[in-house]
Amino acid sequence: MGNMKVHQLARGLWEHEPSLSLGCKRLRPLAPKLHPSSSPDHTSVSSFDLKTFIRPESGPRKLCPSDDKRDSHSRQVETHPGGTRWNPTQEQIGILEMLYRGGMRTPNAQQIEQITAQLGKYGKIEGKNVFYWFQNHKARERQKQKRNSLGLSHSPRNSAPITTITLDTRGEVMEREEDSPYKRKCRSWSFEYLEEESRSSSSSQEEENRTLELFPLHPEGRS
Amino acid sequence: MGNMKVHQLARGLWEHEPSLSLGCKRLRPLAPKLHPSSSPDHTSVSSFDLKTFIRPESGPRKLCPSDDKRDSHSRQVETHPGGTRWNPTQEQIGILEMLYRGGMRTPNAQQIEQITAQLGKYGKIEGKNVFYWFQNHKARERQKQKRNSLGLSHSPRNSAPITTITLDTRGEVMEREEDSPYKRKCRSWSFEYLEEESRSSSSSQEEENRTLELFPLHPEGRS
DNA sequence: GCAAATTAATGATTTATTCAAG
DNA sequence: CTTGAATAAATCATTAATTTGC
């Protein structure tokens, strides 16, 4: 299923006849995508508990094994036989959140590479994890914002105190995140599926100007 | 350009086709939950000043109490050797440089607090250290840039710097600029930075150099 | 106390939308 | 109007956290 350029193709096809047999060509190798119309009752199909087989660690829990090699990171089993999803460590989450709070929303390729290299010290990670994390975190922060605004938009009892911090002279009111939704930059980077050949390398990094937008700074004079 | 841009490239992950699709139980109400109650250690700051930064925050947050700073990283002396100055660890430097490269120059107090809290996991640090680091680093990068611009009037011949950053899960042999006949089809993600303009800034070159030196891939040395 | 069952959280994919070229 | 890039929204799927019965 080394299918590439799928979504365009799919759109062209499915937007006309979504339920055609062609549409059955799901890309997902497993987990039969149920169509809304023909959705079987997925009411807790108590099939085998393969879960117990593929994850034979339900019983033993690591009781802080002191024999482990440095047992470094909090959790995150490093066994990834076949490919489990990324299980971030606390350090990684902390750094990512720090970056997010710093203003980063959609890091470009170079930044992702840097971040990945950095976070790789604290656990297994790859670039796409970083990318997805920012995507998800951004989206879910938005959701949270929206929910909160609906629920308790009234009587804003200073729920989010803008702490007026005083650091020497640069006490700064950090403007909240939430960049405007239509601030599309042409930071065009994309994922590629290195499958056939190396593309003509003709790119370069260095986007100091752009990064300045990612990080809302407050250039101020020296004290 | 026969681009193979695929957005669903995780095919590689599934190429193993790990197992049968166990009964994926759908049906998840998943109410909008806010306040996870186990929110990370974001000490809700209300206000502080530079003195407040001085806070030996190194509280463990792991479930496993056998937590111990991996000595491979915490190369610095744990015990505050008297009244000496801050001796940053490799992690701290890496994170700070990552932030710097991300565009941060003069973080405000809140950001400094966050950074300090984060970096405190890897060694003793105070807020003022973060603040001074940014000040010094900014100034010294400027110096370096000035020096380089003087002695580096001619641009290097290497007009096509490798920039197709290839991130891979495992330690892949990343070939150098020269195209090696070794063109393995690694099924992993890579990031390509497409630029829309013919960048002609000579500073990009040294920028890249700095990147490499800022993020050594081997967390070693540094004591 | 343990572990299956359930739930909450979140990583990873897919689909829809938007904007800019051509 | 068509097409492609970029991204937001929605959805799927898996893991941890929690509950629950023993």
Side-chain angles (χ1 to χ4, degrees):
Chain A
M1 61 190 66
N3 226 329
M4 63 297 296
K5 214 39 139 353
V6 179
H7 70 290
Q8 273 89 3
L9 237 165
R11 181 161 64 181
L13 287 173
W14 293 348
E15 72 180 356
H16 297 308
E17 294 291 339
S19 58
L20 215 54
S21 61
L22 273 171
C24 293
K25 183 175 72 78
R26 285 304 185 183
L27 288 172
R28 184 126 30 69
L30 50 90
K33 173 72 161 300
L34 2 121
H35 207 269
S37 59
S38 67
S39 70
D41 58 340
H42 45 278
T43 60
S44 67
V45 181
S46 63
S47 60
F48 296 15
D49 258 337
L50 269 89
K51 202 182 299 180
T52 59
F53 282 101
I54 55 181
R55 193 180 60 175
E57 60 172 300
S58 54
R61 69 213 60 77
K62 48 184 302 182
L63 287 170
C64 320
S66 59
D67 58 64
D68 195 19
K69 55 191 188 314
R70 298 290 177 273
D71 89 299
S72 47
H73 316 110
S74 24
R75 39 199 177 122
Q76 194 231 3
V77 219
E78 66 231 52
T79 108
H80 48 90
T84 56
R85 70 181 197 182
W86 172 52
N87 198 9
T89 64
Q90 289 288 32
E91 294 94 335
Q92 290 171 337
I93 290 292
I95 293 168
L96 286 170
E97 284 177 344
M98 179 171 64
L99 289 166
Y100 187 90
R101 281 193 296 269
M104 190 176 281
R105 290 296 178 275
T106 304
N108 58 38
Q110 186 187 5
Q111 290 171 316
I112 285 183
E113 193 229 9
Q114 307 278 353
I115 295 166
T116 304
Q118 184 63 40
L119 298 185
K121 295 177 180 175
Y122 313 118
K124 182 178 178 306
I125 191 174
E126 44 187 319
K128 66 174 186 179
N129 306 129
V130 175
F131 172 72
Y132 286 143
W133 188 91
F134 276 100
Q135 293 284 107
N136 284 318
H137 198 70
K138 180 170 56 177
R140 280 160 184 156
E141 285 294 314
R142 254 196 299 259
Q143 292 178 5
K144 213 180 296 181
Q145 280 278 332
K146 194 150 293 184
R147 277 202 304 268
N148 286 0
S149 69
L150 292 179
L152 46 104
S153 62
H154 315 14
S155 72
R157 36 176 46 237
N158 59 3
S159 55
I162 308 297
T163 69
T164 60
I165 328 123
T166 62
L167 173 68
D168 276 359
T169 61
R170 53 200 57 67
E172 189 73 34
V173 181
M174 192 173 76
E175 55 95 14
R176 264 301 154 209
E177 48 251 25
E178 197 49 51
D179 40 11
S180 85
Y182 297 116
K183 196 169 80 171
R184 185 187 301 275
K185 293 291 170 305
C186 284
R187 80 171 74 78
S188 52
W189 61 285
S190 59
F191 307 106
E192 290 212 358
Y193 198 37
L194 294 186
E195 184 157 29
E196 84 277 60
E197 191 47 46
S198 73
R199 68 285 295 105
S200 58
S201 66
S202 67
S203 53
S204 160
Q205 39 262 81
E206 187 278 318
E207 64 286 348
E208 194 77 346
N209 301 330
R210 225 175 329 232
T211 39
L212 282 175
E213 300 168 352
L214 295 175
F215 282 85
L217 310 172
H218 334 287
E220 303 221 350
R222 180 69 183 89
S223 63
Chain B
M1 172 194 290
N3 58 354
M4 296 270 299
K5 306 295 170 39
V6 187
H7 280 111
Q8 44 277 71
L9 356 303
R11 293 287 145 263
L13 292 177
W14 295 105
E15 68 182 356
H16 306 89
E17 195 60 37
S19 63
L20 325 82
S21 66
L22 59 139
C24 53
K25 51 179 66 176
R26 196 54 265 130
L27 183 98
R28 186 224 1 233
L30 207 279
K33 179 64 167 300
L34 27 152
H35 71 74
S37 78
S38 67
S39 74
D41 46 73
H42 306 335
T43 59
S44 57
V45 300
S46 49
S47 74
F48 57 87
D49 60 351
L50 220 159
K51 282 94 187 163
T52 319
F53 283 130
I54 307 171
R55 183 181 51 176
E57 204 280 338
S58 301
R61 53 200 37 74
K62 302 174 182 177
L63 301 175
C64 242
S66 81
D67 157 273
D68 187 3
K69 295 294 183 184
R70 48 215 160 281
D71 44 355
S72 65
H73 289 157
S74 298
R75 205 63 63 88
Q76 78 155 17
V77 190
E78 293 281 342
T79 65
H80 194 212
T84 59
R85 64 185 195 181
W86 173 50
N87 195 13
T89 65
Q90 180 62 27
E91 300 92 342
Q92 290 171 338
I93 291 292
I95 292 168
L96 286 170
E97 285 171 342
M98 179 169 63
L99 289 166
Y100 186 89
R101 275 203 53 79
M104 190 175 282
R105 291 295 180 275
T106 304
N108 58 36
Q110 186 177 7
Q111 290 172 318
I112 285 181
E113 198 265 349
Q114 307 279 2
I115 294 165
T116 305
Q118 187 58 235
L119 298 184
K121 295 177 180 175
Y122 315 118
K124 186 181 287 294
I125 192 173
E126 299 173 349
K128 63 177 185 181
N129 305 133
V130 175
F131 171 72
Y132 287 140
W133 186 91
F134 275 99
Q135 296 293 315
N136 287 321
H137 198 70
K138 181 169 59 177
R140 282 158 189 156
E141 283 298 312
R142 228 179 264 134
Q143 291 177 7
K144 199 186 300 180
Q145 201 142 1
K146 191 157 294 182
R147 278 203 310 271
N148 286 1
S149 67
L150 291 179
L152 195 73
S153 58
H154 59 81
S155 65
R157 291 287 84 81
N158 193 357
S159 62
I162 270 285
T163 324
T164 308
I165 305 158
T166 302
L167 299 172
D168 195 6
T169 62
R170 2 194 202 306
E172 205 68 44
V173 181
M174 209 178 300
E175 50 264 15
R176 274 297 167 197
E177 275 82 327
E178 55 272 12
D179 54 338
S180 73
Y182 204 174
K183 197 60 66 178
R184 49 182 301 130
K185 44 188 298 184
C186 53
R187 297 181 167 240
S188 63
W189 291 56
S190 70
F191 303 97
E192 178 186 85
Y193 191 83
L194 314 172
E195 54 184 320
E196 61 278 9
E197 290 189 9
S198 63
R199 48 96 191 166
S200 59
S201 68
S202 61
S203 65
S204 66
Q205 207 56 34
E206 61 92 23
E207 177 80 15
E208 187 169 37
N209 295 336
R210 194 168 63 203
T211 303
L212 290 175
E213 95 181 52
L214 283 179
F215 283 89
L217 295 180
H218 310 293
E220 315 210 333
R222 169 68 54 174
S223 61

